[in-house]
Amino acid sequence: MTRSVLPFEMREPRAVTPAQRATFLGIRPPVRACESTLRGLADADGTVFALLLPAGSPSLDRERAEMLAAAINAGLGVAGQPAPVEA
């Protein structure tokens, strides 16, 4: 069995940004809290890629999703970039 080489493995590890790795995994930064599910995370295309466990109240679920999205964006190096508006 042969092992496939991922595009980010072909370069020096330091040459690939976290945002490039996320894009390769199908997540287009910036990440944001999803409008349709109060506790979901969506990428720039509006594709939901993660759901958080309910915390008990919709407002708390939304706040947790926004906090996690901000942390992910900071880790990807795209913090502060505007998220596209959903149509």
Side-chain angles (χ1 to χ4, degrees), residues 8 11 13-31 43-44 71-79 81:
F8 59 81
R11 299 185 231 158
R14 285 175 264 139
V16 179
T17 67
Q20 289 171 324
R21 289 184 184 182
T23 300
F24 176 76
L25 295 172
I27 301 170
R28 277 195 52 224
V31 172
D43 65 3
I72 291 170
N73 287 333
L76 293 176
V78 296
Q81 288 186 6

Side-chain angles (χ1 to χ4, degrees), residues 26-44:
I27 301 170
R28 277 195 52 224
V31 172
R32 58 188 163 77
C34 182
E35 297 295 327
S36 59
T37 64
L38 294 175
R39 60 183 197 270
L41 295 176
D43 65 3

Side-chain angles (χ1 to χ4, degrees), residues 31-33 35 38 40-41 52 60-71 73:
V31 172
R32 58 188 163 77
E35 297 295 327
L38 294 175
L41 295 176
L52 305 175
L60 185 57
D61 290 344
R62 175 75 181 174
E63 190 174 329
R64 290 173 61 212
E66 288 175 354
M67 180 201 63
L68 189 54
N73 287 333

